[in-house]
Amino acid sequence: MRIPCRATIGAVIVAVSAVASFDDECDRSGGNLLQSFAQARRAEKYAWQSGRGNFPNFAVAEANGPFNLSETLSWSWHHPKGRFHTLTWGTVLDHQLNVYLSAADGLRKFDVDGQLLWEHHTLPAILMNAPAIYQGSIFASDTLGGVRALSMSTGKLLWHSNLSMPIGEDNGFTMVHEGVVFTAAGWRDPSPMGPANHMVKALNASDGQILWTYEPDAPVWNFLPLFPDRDTFVFQDMTGRVYRLSLQGKLLWKAGGKPGTWTDGGAALGNGMVYAVNNNNPPKQLMFHSEHSPGTLSAYDLNGTLKWKITTPRPPNNAPAIGKVQGWSGLSVILPICKQVMQGATCEVQAYDANTGGLRWVFHGPKQTGPLQAGDFEGMVDRTTSGVRPACLPNGWSAPSISSDGTVFVGNENGPMFALRDADGDGRVVGNDEVSSFDAKAAFSGSASPAIGNNLLAVASCDTLFVFKG
């Protein structure tokens, strides 16, 4: 692509990634500008670009987070009227480790030491999803069917696109890739779980124009698109069926799933495969089953061929993470399993061999002690008076994240944030050398994937942002 010397700075910025050559005059006068801009973009590689981290190794950090959580809390934030006056969801980190937080009432930016830099309010539109940052902007969707882009530096609204249809109150992920914003929309009946998002929407990241709409065979829940390369993306619907589409919205393949079922879980990428989850029983049956209702974890290659599947002993109600973990060679699938909102039910985290599905280790988490998840009953009145939904009612676990040293970070519905590692490889995660925790006194939403920077961990419970520094 050739850029004329009269190109504006804005045009240069938009085109810089596609530049292959310049005319001689631009080589002399504009080349330095392009080179400086490209170098600046490389220097600004974000530490945790979306609610599930960075392309292509989603949910796996290039840095370590602090293991001893109880000793490394640096700062926290909750609504100034009190912790229950909003619901907090996903976190992302830029190249300076500034923290961006999505909450029911809007978006906020904090510096690495906890100073509030800006806030953008959205009520009566409620944010439910984790945001994403991309080329100087932050993107989020809301329950009134709006998708917006803000300046990362100032919080100023850059554009707002009204999809003319609501976006559901589940906890998904707004994602951006190669200039395209992805969101779920079309909240309506029917589905195995009542109202749900029936459509996937793609928007132009520069101006918010709708590019295309795709309707999968079953609605999506906690929508999580992931990108195996620069040209395609994958996601699963609520039944566990996996789809691979081009960035132009063309279906390449779909596979798996169990019709009539519902899961709070999502897909994961890694090891050259797509991993999907589903529950084995319909939602109405799940309501009357014990905490041991089984599910399925399935692994597909990038052509949609099933490579293996295993039965999980509890419902797989969140997205896995695929990465290298301590004490084990190769890659592992980290899967939280739990029947949430069930008093007395135990939640576990299981690790499987990413190539075979063989069980590697198990962490037995706490039981849900109250009739609702931690912090939900206590905050109903304050949330209602503040105009947000009265309860979080999240997944049993947050989405897990893996640091570069193989530590797994994941939050539990009963309040603890855990750092986990099977350092001795004995298949059990126990003891002070392998388990660290911090009591957040509230559950964690499914979109609350811990964001990992350089010796820093940022994660939101359902009411408070916590930042740990090593």
Side-chain angles (χ1 to χ4, degrees):
M1 177 180 179
R2 299 177 68 82
I3 299 178
C5 259
R6 293 183 299 277
T8 64
I9 296 295
V12 169
I13 290 174
V14 170
V16 67
S17 63
V19 171
S21 63
F22 314 99
D23 58 37
D24 291 341
E25 183 180 355
C26 273
D27 282 342
R28 292 192 299 271
S29 60
N32 290 337
L33 171 62
L34 288 166
Q35 184 179 14
S36 297
F37 179 77
Q39 289 174 345
R41 280 292 180 218
R42 285 194 295 271
E44 292 181 5
K45 181 178 180 182
Y46 302 136
W48 199 260
Q49 182 259 336
S50 74
R52 288 306 274 151
N54 294 3
F55 169 83
N57 299 313
F58 294 101
V60 179
E62 296 181 358
N64 291 335
F67 178 76
N68 295 313
L69 298 177
S70 62
E71 300 175 3
T72 55
L73 179 66
S74 177
W75 57 270
S76 63
W77 178 90
H78 59 65
H79 195 283
K81 291 183 179 180
R83 57 181 273 225
F84 297 129
H85 282 268
T86 191
L87 290 156
T88 48
W89 310 121
T91 50
V92 293
L93 304 171
D94 66 18
H95 58 293
Q96 297 176 323
L97 298 184
N98 295 310
V99 183
Y100 302 77
L101 171 71
S102 63
D105 63 337
L107 292 162
R108 293 172 175 85
K109 178 183 179 179
F110 304 85
D111 73 12
V112 68
D113 297 315
Q115 179 181 351
L116 179 64
L117 300 179
W118 56 254
E119 52 188 344
H120 171 85
H121 298 284
T122 60
L123 293 177
I126 296 174
L127 301 188
M128 292 293 298
N129 297 333
I133 52 179
Y134 177 81
Q135 294 189 357
S137 300
I138 181 167
F139 302 84
S141 60
D142 64 58
T143 54
L144 296 185
V147 181
R148 69 194 69 209
L150 311 179
S151 164
M152 287 171 57
S153 59
T154 67
K156 178 182 177 181
L157 181 67
L158 301 177
W159 56 256
H160 178 273
S161 182
N162 188 347
L163 303 184
S164 300
M165 56 180 63
I167 295 173
E169 291 193 26
D170 53 10
N171 286 124
F173 298 80
T174 302
M175 302 288 277
V176 189
H177 186 66
E178 295 294 313
V180 181
V181 182
F182 297 86
T183 186
W187 182 260
R188 60 176 172 81
D189 285 317
S191 90
M193 196 58 178
N197 289 314
H198 283 250
M199 298 178 183
V200 174
K201 293 277 189 178
L203 296 84
N204 189 317
S206 63
D207 59 15
Q209 292 296 309
I210 297 174
L211 300 175
W212 50 261
T213 300
Y214 177 80
E215 187 165 352
D217 295 349
V220 296
W221 192 274
N222 293 350
F223 177 60
L224 173 58
L226 298 171
F227 313 99
D229 52 36
R230 298 196 176 278
D231 303 313
T232 66
F233 72 102
V234 299
F235 68 96
Q236 74 159 70
D237 64 27
M238 64 166 55
T239 73
R241 183 179 293 108
V242 180
Y243 303 77
R244 187 177 185 185
L245 275 67
S246 71
L247 292 196
Q248 292 74 41
K250 179 183 177 181
L251 177 67
L252 303 178
W253 55 260
K254 56 185 176 180
K258 186 168 184 179
T261 64
W262 164 88
T263 177
D264 240 354
L269 268 177
N271 197 37
M273 291 196 280
V274 187
Y275 299 83
V277 296
N278 66 266
N279 276 305
N280 294 351
N281 295 305
K284 289 183 179 179
Q285 292 185 24
L286 276 174
M287 292 175 63
F288 301 103
H289 279 240
S290 75
E291 61 180 291
H292 302 290
S293 298
T296 299
L297 170 65
S298 303
Y300 304 87
D301 68 19
L302 293 179
N303 295 313
T305 301
L306 179 68
K307 307 305 289 186
W308 55 260
K309 65 179 181 179
I310 57 99
T311 299
T312 64
R314 303 176 192 273
N317 279 336
N318 213 318
I322 319 300
K324 179 75 171 63
V325 297
Q326 286 198 26
W328 295 86
S329 61
L331 298 179
S332 297
V333 182
I334 304 301
L335 180 63
I337 56 176
C338 186
K339 185 173 181 183
Q340 63 258 46
V341 202
M342 182 178 186
Q343 191 167 9
T346 299
C347 296
E348 295 175 341
V349 179
Q350 298 198 339
Y352 302 91
D353 186 310
N355 287 318
T356 67
L359 184 63
R360 290 186 153 182
W361 57 253
V362 178
F363 170 70
H364 299 282
K367 295 178 182 292
Q368 182 179 318
T369 55
L372 292 177
Q373 294 154 296
D376 258 11
F377 180 78
E378 301 93 316
M380 283 187 172
V381 173
D382 286 349
R383 295 188 193 102
T384 302
T385 59
S386 293
V388 300
R389 74 185 216 171
C392 188
L393 289 176
N395 313 50
W397 295 95
S398 76
S401 301
I402 304 172
S403 67
S404 61
D405 69 352
T407 299
V408 175
F409 294 94
V410 63
N412 177 264
E413 65 178 2
N414 214 44
M417 179 70 206
F418 287 105
L420 307 173
R421 54 194 188 194
D422 183 20
D424 57 12
D426 68 352
R428 300 181 308 136
V429 180
V430 295
N432 293 335
D433 293 335
E434 297 189 335
V435 181
S436 170
S437 67
F438 172 85
D439 188 3
K441 302 187 185 305
F444 297 80
S445 77
S447 55
S449 177
I452 303 170
N454 184 21
N455 289 315
L456 180 144
L457 183 83
V459 64
S461 71
C462 286
D463 54 53
T464 303
L465 167 66
F466 298 95
V467 175
F468 305 84
K469 294 182 185 178

